[in-house]
Amino acid sequence: MEKILNHNIDKYKEELLQSIIEVVNIPSVKGEAKEHAPFGENPKKALLKALDIAKDLGFKTKNIDNYIGYAEYGEGEDYIGVLGHLDVVDVGEGWKSPPFNAEIRNEKIYGRGVLDNKGPIMSSLFALYAIKQSNLNINKKIRIIFGTDEESGFSDIPYYLKHEKPPILGFTPDCKYPVVYGERGRANILLTIKYSDENYEEKTKEFFYFINEYILLSKSNGERLGIDYSDKEFGTMEMKNFKAGIKDSHLIFHMSLSYPATVNIDGILEKIKLKLTDNIKLKLLLNYNPIKFEKESFLVKSLQKAYEDITGLDGTPVTTTGGTYAKVMPNIVPFGPSFPGQKGIAHNPNEYMDIEDIVLNAKIFANAIYNLAK
Protein backbone atom coordinates (compact mmCIF):
# COMPACT_ATOMS: atom_id res chain seq x y z
CA MET A 1 0.00 0.00 0.00
CA GLU A 2 2.75 2.45 1.00
CA LYS A 3 4.65 1.81 -2.24
CA ILE A 4 1.50 2.29 -4.31
CA LEU A 5 0.70 5.63 -2.67
CA ASN A 6 4.27 6.87 -2.88
CA HIS A 7 4.43 5.88 -6.55
CA ASN A 8 1.29 7.88 -7.29
CA ILE A 9 2.60 10.94 -5.44
CA ASP A 10 5.77 10.82 -7.56
CA LYS A 11 3.66 10.28 -10.68
CA TYR A 12 1.59 13.42 -10.06
CA LYS A 13 4.43 15.56 -8.70
CA GLU A 14 4.43 18.10 -11.52
CA GLU A 15 0.66 18.56 -11.32
CA LEU A 16 0.97 19.10 -7.58
CA LEU A 17 3.67 21.74 -7.98
CA GLN A 18 1.69 23.53 -10.67
CA SER A 19 -1.42 23.59 -8.49
CA ILE A 20 0.56 25.13 -5.63
CA ILE A 21 1.97 27.81 -7.94
CA GLU A 22 -1.52 28.64 -9.21
CA VAL A 23 -2.95 29.24 -5.74
CA VAL A 24 0.17 31.02 -4.45
CA ASN A 25 -0.12 33.50 -7.31
CA ILE A 26 -3.47 34.70 -5.94
CA PRO A 27 -2.82 37.51 -3.39
CA SER A 28 -5.29 36.15 -0.85
CA VAL A 29 -4.73 38.64 1.98
CA LYS A 30 -7.98 39.41 3.80
CA GLY A 31 -9.76 42.37 2.23
CA GLU A 32 -12.94 44.36 2.59
CA ALA A 33 -16.02 42.21 3.02
CA LYS A 34 -18.36 42.35 0.05
CA GLU A 35 -21.51 40.58 -1.01
CA HIS A 36 -20.58 36.98 -1.80
CA ALA A 37 -16.99 37.66 -0.65
CA PRO A 38 -16.98 37.67 3.17
CA PHE A 39 -13.20 38.07 3.48
CA GLY A 40 -12.61 40.07 0.30
CA GLU A 41 -12.27 39.15 -3.35
CA ASN A 42 -8.86 37.49 -3.26
CA PRO A 43 -9.49 34.85 -0.57
CA LYS A 44 -12.63 34.01 -2.57
CA LYS A 45 -10.56 33.68 -5.77
CA ALA A 46 -8.12 31.35 -4.01
CA LEU A 47 -11.00 29.20 -2.78
CA LEU A 48 -12.56 29.00 -6.24
CA LYS A 49 -9.20 28.07 -7.77
CA ALA A 50 -8.60 25.28 -5.21
CA LEU A 51 -12.09 23.90 -5.78
CA ASP A 52 -11.61 24.03 -9.56
CA ILE A 53 -8.38 22.05 -9.22
CA ALA A 54 -10.14 19.51 -7.01
CA LYS A 55 -13.02 19.21 -9.47
CA ASP A 56 -10.56 18.60 -12.34
CA LEU A 57 -9.10 15.75 -10.26
CA GLY A 58 -12.52 14.15 -10.17
CA PHE A 59 -13.61 15.06 -6.64
CA LYS A 60 -17.02 16.20 -5.49
CA THR A 61 -16.71 19.77 -4.27
CA LYS A 62 -18.80 22.19 -2.25
CA ASN A 63 -18.43 25.94 -1.77
CA ILE A 64 -20.14 27.14 1.42
CA ASP A 65 -20.99 30.75 0.52
CA ASN A 66 -17.33 31.59 -0.21
CA TYR A 67 -16.46 31.25 3.48
CA ILE A 68 -14.95 27.81 3.11
CA GLY A 69 -15.18 24.80 0.83
CA TYR A 70 -14.14 21.20 0.47
CA ALA A 71 -13.26 18.35 -1.84
CA GLU A 72 -14.76 14.98 -0.96
CA TYR A 73 -14.05 11.33 -1.71
CA GLY A 74 -15.85 8.22 -0.50
CA GLU A 75 -19.27 7.47 0.92
CA GLY A 76 -21.00 7.54 4.29
CA GLU A 77 -22.16 9.98 6.92
CA ASP A 78 -19.00 10.27 9.03
CA TYR A 79 -15.84 11.64 7.50
CA ILE A 80 -12.13 12.16 8.04
CA GLY A 81 -11.20 15.83 7.70
CA VAL A 82 -7.96 17.51 6.60
CA LEU A 83 -8.29 21.22 7.22
CA GLY A 84 -5.96 23.92 5.89
CA HIS A 85 -6.25 27.53 4.75
CA LEU A 86 -5.78 29.60 1.61
CA ASP A 87 -5.66 33.09 3.17
CA VAL A 88 -2.25 34.62 3.85
CA VAL A 89 -0.69 37.38 5.94
CA ASP A 90 0.48 40.68 4.46
CA VAL A 91 3.59 40.60 2.33
CA GLY A 92 5.97 42.90 4.20
CA GLU A 93 9.32 44.05 2.82
CA GLY A 94 12.54 42.31 1.85
CA TRP A 95 11.43 39.97 -0.93
CA LYS A 96 13.95 38.90 -3.56
CA SER A 97 11.19 37.90 -5.97
CA PRO A 98 7.53 38.95 -6.30
CA PRO A 99 5.64 37.32 -3.41
CA PHE A 100 2.58 36.54 -5.54
CA ASN A 101 4.46 35.30 -8.56
CA ALA A 102 5.75 31.98 -7.28
CA GLU A 103 9.31 31.31 -8.36
CA ILE A 104 11.35 28.10 -8.30
CA ARG A 105 14.98 28.64 -7.27
CA ASN A 106 17.44 26.02 -6.04
CA GLU A 107 14.73 23.34 -5.81
CA LYS A 108 12.52 25.57 -3.65
CA ILE A 109 9.24 27.33 -4.40
CA TYR A 110 9.20 30.93 -3.12
CA GLY A 111 6.01 32.88 -2.55
CA ARG A 112 3.72 34.22 0.14
CA GLY A 113 1.65 31.37 1.52
CA VAL A 114 3.58 28.49 -0.05
CA LEU A 115 4.30 27.08 3.42
CA ASP A 116 1.49 28.77 5.35
CA ASN A 117 -0.64 27.07 4.15
CA LYS A 118 -1.25 26.67 0.41
CA GLY A 119 1.52 24.16 -0.25
CA PRO A 120 0.49 21.78 2.54
CA ILE A 121 -3.26 21.86 1.83
CA MET A 122 -2.69 21.26 -1.89
CA SER A 123 -0.30 18.43 -0.93
CA SER A 124 -3.18 17.02 1.13
CA LEU A 125 -5.48 17.23 -1.89
CA PHE A 126 -3.00 15.32 -4.04
CA ALA A 127 -2.48 12.83 -1.20
CA LEU A 128 -6.19 12.09 -1.44
CA TYR A 129 -5.87 11.93 -5.22
CA ALA A 130 -3.16 9.28 -4.82
CA ILE A 131 -5.58 7.23 -2.69
CA LYS A 132 -8.38 7.72 -5.22
CA GLN A 133 -6.19 6.66 -8.16
CA SER A 134 -4.95 3.63 -6.25
CA ASN A 135 -8.48 2.27 -5.77
CA LEU A 136 -7.67 1.37 -2.16
CA ASN A 137 -10.52 0.25 0.05
CA ILE A 138 -11.53 2.85 2.63
CA ASN A 139 -14.35 2.75 5.16
CA LYS A 140 -14.81 6.47 5.75
CA LYS A 141 -15.51 9.47 3.57
CA ILE A 142 -12.64 11.97 3.38
CA ARG A 143 -12.75 15.74 2.99
CA ILE A 144 -9.97 18.18 2.19
CA ILE A 145 -11.32 21.43 3.65
CA PHE A 146 -10.12 24.80 2.35
CA GLY A 147 -10.48 27.60 4.90
CA THR A 148 -10.13 31.30 4.07
CA ASP A 149 -9.91 33.12 7.43
CA GLU A 150 -7.30 31.35 9.52
CA GLU A 151 -4.94 34.31 9.75
CA SER A 152 -7.61 36.78 10.92
CA GLY A 153 -9.73 35.05 13.51
CA PHE A 154 -11.02 31.60 12.45
CA SER A 155 -14.50 32.95 11.63
CA ASP A 156 -14.78 30.57 8.67
CA ILE A 157 -14.98 27.54 10.96
CA PRO A 158 -18.09 28.52 12.97
CA TYR A 159 -19.76 29.20 9.63
CA TYR A 160 -18.76 25.75 8.39
CA LEU A 161 -20.10 24.12 11.56
CA LYS A 162 -23.45 25.84 11.08
CA HIS A 163 -23.83 23.99 7.78
CA GLU A 164 -21.82 20.79 8.23
CA LYS A 165 -21.08 18.42 11.07
CA PRO A 166 -17.45 18.17 12.21
CA PRO A 167 -15.09 15.37 11.17
CA ILE A 168 -14.87 12.37 13.45
CA LEU A 169 -11.06 12.47 13.11
CA GLY A 170 -8.52 14.48 11.18
CA PHE A 171 -5.62 16.88 11.13
CA THR A 172 -4.52 20.33 10.05
CA PRO A 173 -1.21 20.48 8.11
CA ASP A 174 -0.40 23.92 9.51
CA CYS A 175 2.12 23.38 12.29
CA LYS A 176 4.99 20.91 12.54
CA TYR A 177 6.08 17.28 12.81
CA PRO A 178 5.85 14.95 14.62
CA VAL A 179 2.11 14.83 15.35
CA VAL A 180 1.07 17.49 17.87
CA TYR A 181 -1.16 16.06 20.59
CA GLY A 182 -1.66 19.33 22.47
CA GLU A 183 -1.79 23.09 21.96
CA ARG A 184 -1.47 25.72 24.68
CA GLY A 185 -4.34 28.02 25.47
CA ARG A 186 -4.21 31.49 23.96
CA ALA A 187 -5.82 34.63 25.35
CA ASN A 188 -5.79 38.36 24.63
CA ILE A 189 -6.51 40.66 27.57
CA LEU A 190 -6.98 44.39 27.94
CA LEU A 191 -6.12 46.53 30.97
CA THR A 192 -7.63 50.02 31.17
CA ILE A 193 -7.92 53.01 33.47
CA LYS A 194 -10.30 55.93 32.91
CA TYR A 195 -8.98 59.48 33.34
CA SER A 196 -10.18 63.06 33.07
CA ASP A 197 -8.17 66.16 32.25
CA GLU A 198 -8.04 66.97 35.95
CA ASN A 199 -6.65 63.64 37.12
CA TYR A 200 -4.70 62.57 34.02
CA GLU A 201 -1.28 62.71 35.70
CA GLU A 202 -2.47 60.83 38.78
CA LYS A 203 -4.14 58.06 36.79
CA THR A 204 -1.18 57.78 34.42
CA LYS A 205 1.19 57.22 37.34
CA GLU A 206 -1.13 54.62 38.87
CA PHE A 207 -1.59 52.77 35.59
CA PHE A 208 1.99 52.68 34.45
CA TYR A 209 3.30 51.84 37.89
CA PHE A 210 1.16 48.70 37.67
CA ILE A 211 2.22 47.92 34.09
CA ASN A 212 5.90 48.37 34.88
CA GLU A 213 5.86 46.64 38.26
CA TYR A 214 3.83 43.57 37.38
CA ILE A 215 4.35 43.09 33.63
CA LEU A 216 7.29 44.86 32.00
CA LEU A 217 9.71 44.26 34.88
CA SER A 218 8.47 40.73 35.41
CA LYS A 219 9.84 37.67 33.74
CA SER A 220 7.81 36.72 30.68
CA ASN A 221 6.20 33.90 32.66
CA GLY A 222 4.10 36.39 34.65
CA GLU A 223 5.63 35.57 38.02
CA ARG A 224 4.82 38.98 39.56
CA LEU A 225 1.17 38.53 38.67
CA GLY A 226 1.22 35.07 40.21
CA ILE A 227 0.40 33.36 36.93
CA ASP A 228 3.70 31.58 36.31
CA TYR A 229 2.05 28.23 35.63
CA SER A 230 4.13 25.48 34.11
CA ASP A 231 4.07 21.76 33.36
CA LYS A 232 6.39 19.25 31.75
CA GLU A 233 4.24 18.70 28.67
CA PHE A 234 3.33 22.27 27.75
CA GLY A 235 6.13 24.33 29.28
CA THR A 236 5.77 27.71 31.01
CA MET A 237 3.26 30.54 30.73
CA GLU A 238 4.28 33.29 28.30
CA MET A 239 3.19 36.95 28.33
CA LYS A 240 3.90 38.73 25.03
CA ASN A 241 2.66 41.08 22.29
CA PHE A 242 2.49 44.14 24.53
CA LYS A 243 0.84 47.28 23.17
CA ALA A 244 -0.02 50.51 25.02
CA GLY A 245 -2.22 53.38 23.90
CA ILE A 246 -4.95 55.91 24.64
CA LYS A 247 -8.59 55.59 23.57
CA ASP A 248 -11.78 57.42 24.60
CA SER A 249 -10.33 58.92 27.81
CA HIS A 250 -8.79 55.59 28.80
CA LEU A 251 -5.18 54.48 29.05
CA ILE A 252 -5.04 50.97 27.60
CA PHE A 253 -2.60 48.08 27.60
CA HIS A 254 -3.00 44.93 25.50
CA MET A 255 -1.13 41.68 26.00
CA SER A 256 -1.50 38.06 25.01
CA LEU A 257 -1.01 34.96 27.10
CA SER A 258 0.10 31.52 26.00
CA TYR A 259 -0.73 29.14 28.83
CA PRO A 260 -0.35 25.43 29.60
CA ALA A 261 -3.23 22.99 29.87
CA THR A 262 -2.88 22.65 33.63
CA VAL A 263 -4.84 25.88 34.21
CA ASN A 264 -7.95 27.50 32.78
CA ILE A 265 -8.45 31.12 31.80
CA ASP A 266 -10.78 31.86 34.73
CA GLY A 267 -8.06 30.89 37.17
CA ILE A 268 -5.54 33.08 35.39
CA LEU A 269 -7.83 36.13 35.40
CA GLU A 270 -8.64 35.71 39.09
CA LYS A 271 -4.93 35.75 39.91
CA ILE A 272 -4.39 38.94 37.90
CA LYS A 273 -7.39 40.66 39.52
CA LEU A 274 -5.82 40.17 42.94
CA LYS A 275 -3.04 42.57 41.88
CA LEU A 276 -5.26 45.25 40.31
CA THR A 277 -6.12 48.56 41.95
CA ASP A 278 -9.77 49.60 42.16
CA ASN A 279 -9.31 51.92 39.17
CA ILE A 280 -7.68 49.47 36.77
CA LYS A 281 -10.09 47.24 34.89
CA LEU A 282 -9.43 43.90 33.22
CA LYS A 283 -11.25 42.60 30.13
CA LEU A 284 -10.84 39.29 28.34
CA LEU A 285 -10.90 40.05 24.61
CA LEU A 286 -10.34 36.57 23.24
CA ASN A 287 -9.64 33.11 24.53
CA TYR A 288 -8.98 29.72 22.98
CA ASN A 289 -8.78 26.93 25.52
CA PRO A 290 -5.90 24.46 25.38
CA ILE A 291 -6.47 21.25 23.47
CA LYS A 292 -5.02 17.90 24.41
CA PHE A 293 -5.44 14.42 22.94
CA GLU A 294 -4.26 11.18 24.49
CA LYS A 295 -0.93 10.17 23.02
CA GLU A 296 -2.17 6.58 22.76
CA SER A 297 -5.39 7.53 20.95
CA PHE A 298 -6.15 6.03 17.52
CA LEU A 299 -5.82 9.45 15.89
CA VAL A 300 -2.42 10.30 17.34
CA LYS A 301 -0.98 6.81 16.91
CA SER A 302 -2.17 6.62 13.27
CA LEU A 303 -0.45 9.90 12.37
CA GLN A 304 2.67 8.93 14.31
CA LYS A 305 2.86 5.68 12.35
CA ALA A 306 2.52 7.46 8.99
CA TYR A 307 5.31 9.89 9.88
CA GLU A 308 7.65 7.17 11.11
CA ASP A 309 6.94 4.79 8.22
CA ILE A 310 7.64 7.39 5.54
CA THR A 311 10.53 9.30 7.12
CA GLY A 312 12.17 6.74 9.40
CA LEU A 313 12.37 9.49 12.04
CA ASP A 314 11.27 9.44 15.67
CA GLY A 315 7.57 10.29 15.71
CA THR A 316 7.06 10.73 19.45
CA PRO A 317 4.09 13.14 19.77
CA VAL A 318 4.80 16.71 20.88
CA THR A 319 3.00 19.86 22.02
CA THR A 320 3.11 23.35 20.53
CA THR A 321 2.93 26.95 21.70
CA GLY A 322 1.22 27.89 18.43
CA GLY A 323 -2.45 28.06 17.58
CA THR A 324 -4.15 26.37 14.63
CA TYR A 325 -7.60 25.44 13.37
CA ALA A 326 -7.46 22.63 15.95
CA LYS A 327 -8.57 25.27 18.46
CA VAL A 328 -11.97 25.62 16.80
CA MET A 329 -12.60 22.47 14.75
CA PRO A 330 -13.40 19.42 16.91
CA ASN A 331 -11.46 16.16 16.65
CA ILE A 332 -8.41 17.34 14.70
CA VAL A 333 -4.75 17.71 15.65
CA PRO A 334 -1.88 19.65 14.05
CA PHE A 335 0.31 17.47 11.83
CA GLY A 336 3.05 18.89 9.59
CA PRO A 337 4.25 20.45 7.38
CA SER A 338 7.52 21.66 8.95
CA PHE A 339 10.14 19.13 9.92
CA PRO A 340 12.28 19.38 13.07
CA GLY A 341 14.66 22.33 12.79
CA GLN A 342 12.61 24.23 10.21
CA LYS A 343 11.58 27.52 11.81
CA GLY A 344 11.19 31.17 10.91
CA ILE A 345 9.93 30.65 7.35
CA ALA A 346 6.18 31.33 7.46
CA HIS A 347 5.06 34.99 7.71
CA ASN A 348 8.56 36.16 6.77
CA PRO A 349 9.93 37.61 3.52
CA ASN A 350 11.01 34.99 0.97
CA GLU A 351 8.71 32.32 2.38
CA TYR A 352 9.50 29.01 0.72
CA MET A 353 9.12 25.25 0.69
CA ASP A 354 11.66 22.74 -0.56
CA ILE A 355 10.18 20.77 -3.43
CA GLU A 356 11.53 17.61 -1.82
CA ASP A 357 9.58 18.47 1.35
CA ILE A 358 6.41 19.19 -0.61
CA VAL A 359 6.54 15.71 -2.10
CA LEU A 360 7.49 14.13 1.23
CA ASN A 361 4.57 15.89 2.90
CA ALA A 362 2.18 14.50 0.28
CA LYS A 363 3.47 10.97 0.92
CA ILE A 364 3.09 11.35 4.69
CA PHE A 365 -0.41 12.81 4.30
CA ALA A 366 -1.50 10.05 1.92
CA ASN A 367 -0.42 7.36 4.35
CA ALA A 368 -1.93 9.24 7.30
CA ILE A 369 -5.30 9.68 5.58
CA TYR A 370 -5.33 6.03 4.59
CA ASN A 371 -4.47 4.95 8.16
CA LEU A 372 -7.44 6.93 9.45
CA ALA A 373 -9.94 5.94 6.75
CA LYS A 374 -9.21 2.27 6.10
Side-chain angles (χ1 to χ4, degrees), residues 183-185 231 233-235 259-264 290-292:
E183 286 188 0
R184 291 180 180 224
D231 69 38
E233 291 181 291
F234 286 83
Y259 60 93
T262 49
V263 64
N264 60 47
I291 61 165
K292 184 178 179 181

Side-chain angles (χ1 to χ4, degrees), residues 179-190:
V179 55
V180 176
Y181 72 95
E183 286 188 0
R184 291 180 180 224
R186 298 178 70 181
N188 293 339
I189 65 174
L190 175 67

